[in-house]
Amino acid sequence: ISLRQIKRLLIFNIFGMASLLLPDILAGRSGVDGAVAILCGIFCTFLLLWLLGGNFKQMRGDYFSYLKEAFGEKGTEFCEIFYFFYSISIAGFAAYTICHLILKNLLQQESFEVILLLLLLLGAYGIYGGIESRGRVYEIIYWTLAVLLLIMLAFSVGSVDTDKWMPFLYDSGMDFLGSTYLVFGIFSWIIFLLFLRPHCAEPEKLGNTAARAVLVTGGLLFFIYLLLMGIFGTKALAGTQFSVVALMSMVELPGGFLERLDVLMVGIWFFALYALMDHMIFHSVNIFMHTFSLKNKKYPSILILILVYAIARGCWESLFFLQLLKQLFYLAAVPISIGISILAYILVKRKRRKEHV
């Protein structure tokens, strides 16, 4: 898979979820200062990229052998179990978000289960298509969706009221730090690049490619947040779910062309969230097969699709389960994933230094 394909895949993975979920949450916690929290979250992501770059330089093979060198057999098994449940939880949450988005904006009378089953059938096709074919698909649709989004955002600029950008730097310290961490949590999904290194055509340039993807995604998110804040205002934005899609229903193109732009724009977030779901299913299958030394991915794929279905349906039917999943993500999964990378870097460096001595 080429660096260009990886860059576009990363943009899809992070932008879709971040632009849908973060604006109303940041507005409720930090108001206009949510824009600064986005910039701070991006800065923290670059620190994470620096850490990943150190790991990339020490890796002699794939990430599994690197973990084995750092933690041994038992430690690697723990890491693999963690990454398996982490990736599958993200996939399930992405599936839930896609279905919720479609039900809210397109097919209000349709059944959640029907949409989810059709989505997972599409996911099954993606598993057997391989990461290379998926990369080519995302490369083809990238500019079509990007140009469409930029046109819609450009037509929205005229509705911005800059008075709604005040008061600025008024947020309390803890709320601001919480908002920064919310942004960083979603951007921290770049940590799965460690698994992608063997599939990359030019692995030595992977870090720079990821940095450009973070810069593009972060810049877009920052611009969209200011746009939404200037149009909705703090209180209205905090109470508007999927506000960026709601914004598209307010845009009017000259000549009355395309009356329901929000319906058209749902396609952008569908492809972005599907790319995230599909990518995390790929990692889940890959980790499961490596852990149990399997060669045939048929049965692991079926098991993982069932688990994704269970997580997505659990999020839909139980608010408690949905909130629990979010809490586990921010309080456990993000810190553990970063902790593993830090420890692996330190332990491998120390072991190799001893070997040279």
Side-chain angles (χ1 to χ4, degrees):
I1 183 170
S2 71
L3 291 172
R4 186 172 57 193
Q5 289 169 341
I6 288 176
K7 176 186 171 184
R8 292 173 181 180
L9 180 62
L10 284 174
I11 292 172
F12 273 128
N13 285 354
I14 299 171
F15 174 75
M17 194 65 78
S19 59
L20 267 185
L21 299 188
L22 288 178
D24 58 308
I25 299 173
L26 294 180
R29 291 180 64 102
S30 301
V32 182
D33 294 340
V36 184
I38 290 171
L39 296 179
C40 292
I42 294 165
F43 174 74
C44 294
T45 307
F46 276 104
L47 294 179
L48 177 58
L49 275 173
W50 174 76
L51 170 65
L52 296 184
N55 282 288
F56 286 145
K57 287 177 184 176
Q58 293 189 153
M59 287 170 68
R60 293 172 177 168
D62 60 22
Y63 189 45
F64 297 109
S65 8
Y66 183 67
L67 288 173
K68 190 174 180 181
E69 184 180 357
F71 302 113
E73 290 282 355
K74 295 295 182 184
T76 302
E77 286 176 8
F78 165 79
C79 293
E80 289 174 346
I81 290 168
F82 163 74
Y83 280 121
F84 174 77
F85 283 106
Y86 188 22
S87 57
I88 211 167
S89 297
I90 296 173
F93 184 72
Y96 155 77
T97 308
I98 294 171
C99 295
H100 190 185
L101 180 67
I102 291 173
L103 284 168
K104 182 178 172 63
N105 294 278
L106 295 179
L107 305 172
Q108 290 87 348
Q109 306 303 318
E110 192 51 81
S111 162
F112 178 87
E113 288 77 11
V114 170
I115 296 172
L116 180 57
L117 285 171
L118 291 173
L119 182 64
L120 292 180
L121 284 174
L122 192 60
Y125 175 78
I127 292 172
Y128 286 93
I131 191 168
E132 294 82 5
S133 63
R134 294 201 305 276
R136 285 192 292 271
V137 170
Y138 300 141
E139 188 174 14
I140 291 167
I141 64 175
Y142 175 82
W143 278 113
T144 304
L145 299 180
V147 169
L148 185 59
L149 175 64
L150 292 174
I151 289 172
M152 295 302 102
L153 293 177
F155 278 105
S156 304
V157 170
S159 304
V160 171
D161 179 4
T162 53
D163 290 338
K164 292 179 179 177
W165 290 347
M166 296 297 171
F168 187 56
L169 296 179
Y170 192 71
D171 193 17
S172 70
M174 290 307 297
D175 282 342
F176 179 78
L177 287 175
S179 296
T180 299
Y181 187 61
L182 288 173
V183 176
F184 173 68
I186 292 181
F187 275 78
S188 71
W189 290 339
I190 60 168
I191 212 156
F192 283 95
L193 277 174
L194 292 164
F195 291 98
L196 269 187
R197 192 175 183 275
H199 303 276
C200 180
E202 299 174 85
E204 68 280 357
K205 297 179 181 177
L206 195 54
N208 291 333
T209 300
R212 287 194 292 271
V214 169
L215 205 57
V216 170
T217 310
L220 261 177
L221 183 61
F222 177 76
F223 176 73
I224 287 173
Y225 186 76
L226 286 179
L227 194 66
L228 291 169
M229 186 61 69
I231 293 173
F232 288 96
T234 301
K235 288 184 179 179
L237 180 57
T240 306
Q241 190 180 38
F242 302 153
S243 51
V244 69
V245 177
L247 173 65
M248 297 305 150
S249 65
M250 301 162 59
V251 177
E252 293 183 8
L253 291 182
F257 179 65
L258 289 177
E259 292 292 331
R260 288 292 309 277
L261 286 173
D262 55 326
V263 173
L264 180 63
M265 298 307 288
V266 165
I268 291 178
W269 281 275
F270 171 82
F271 280 111
L273 292 170
Y274 173 76
L276 173 63
M277 183 195 80
D278 204 33
H279 188 56
M280 291 302 164
I281 289 174
F282 162 77
H283 285 304
S284 301
V285 172
N286 189 32
I287 293 166
F288 189 90
M289 291 178 66
H290 184 274
T291 304
F292 293 99
S293 304
L294 301 175
K295 301 234 175 138
N296 190 333
K297 59 184 176 182
K298 178 182 177 182
Y299 294 110
S301 301
I302 293 171
L303 172 64
I304 284 158
L305 289 172
I306 291 171
L307 289 173
V308 171
Y309 175 88
I311 293 169
R313 186 159 182 178
C315 290
W316 177 254
E317 293 186 349
S318 170
L319 182 61
F320 171 77
F321 181 80
L322 177 62
Q323 294 302 326
L324 177 64
L325 197 66
K326 290 179 181 179
Q327 291 295 319
L328 286 173
F329 168 66
Y330 278 108
L331 298 179
V334 173
I336 290 172
S337 65
I338 295 169
I340 289 173
S341 299
I342 294 172
L343 283 174
Y345 174 77
I346 293 171
L347 291 173
V348 170
K349 191 168 187 176
R350 186 179 296 171
K351 285 180 181 179
R352 290 181 184 172
R353 190 178 293 166
K354 287 180 180 177
E355 287 173 6
H356 286 301
V357 174

